[in-house]
Amino acid sequence: MIPGGGQPNMQQLLQQAQKMQQDLARAQEELAQTEVEGQAGGGLVKATVTGAGELRALKIDPKAVDPEDTETLADLVIAAVQAANENAQNLQQQKLGPLAQGLGGGSGIPGLPF
């Protein structure tokens, strides 16, 4: 039962919403600064992205470079970037999932994949 005759305390609700917004902004900033890696070809190609999905680095082992077969290299690069982005999405869900659920979950918050 809600104290005060069934009316929610608007001031308290606003404070809770503001705190959730601050927590969400802090978590998003942490994601933007956290780097995760994905790799392909047994480590021949490594991609580093931020937790927000921004590509930061791409390392290609010289053994992966065959001038006669650039398609395989392209496939390895794509696979490494996709793996890094999957890791970034997992990190987003770990950091932002509880916050998004507190905001109603799946509420259409831009930039959140859930």
Side-chain angles (χ1 to χ4, degrees):
M1 185 169 228
I2 300 172
Q7 294 297 320
N9 180 336
M10 290 305 290
Q11 183 66 26
Q12 187 177 11
L13 288 175
L14 289 173
Q15 287 174 346
Q16 287 175 341
Q18 186 176 25
K19 182 186 180 320
M20 290 170 76
Q21 279 184 318
Q22 290 169 347
D23 290 347
L24 183 60
R26 190 175 310 111
Q28 287 174 323
E29 180 61 30
E30 286 178 26
L31 282 172
Q33 294 186 21
T34 302
E35 293 185 347
V36 293
E37 187 177 274
Q39 57 179 309
L44 289 175
V45 177
K46 296 179 182 177
T48 303
V49 300
T50 66
E54 178 187 342
L55 182 63
R56 287 279 174 94
L58 185 63
K59 294 179 184 172
I60 301 172
D61 187 303
K63 290 181 246 173
V65 181
D66 178 357
E68 301 297 317
D69 185 13
T70 58
E71 287 180 17
T72 297
L73 178 57
D75 289 343
L76 289 174
V77 169
I78 290 169
V81 171
Q82 286 175 336
N85 279 326
E86 284 179 27
N87 292 337
Q89 284 185 336
N90 290 337
L91 184 62
Q92 286 175 3
Q93 289 177 352
Q94 288 173 9
K95 291 242 183 224
L96 301 180
L99 294 172
Q101 288 172 356
L103 293 171
S107 59
I109 299 171
L112 296 183
F114 41 89

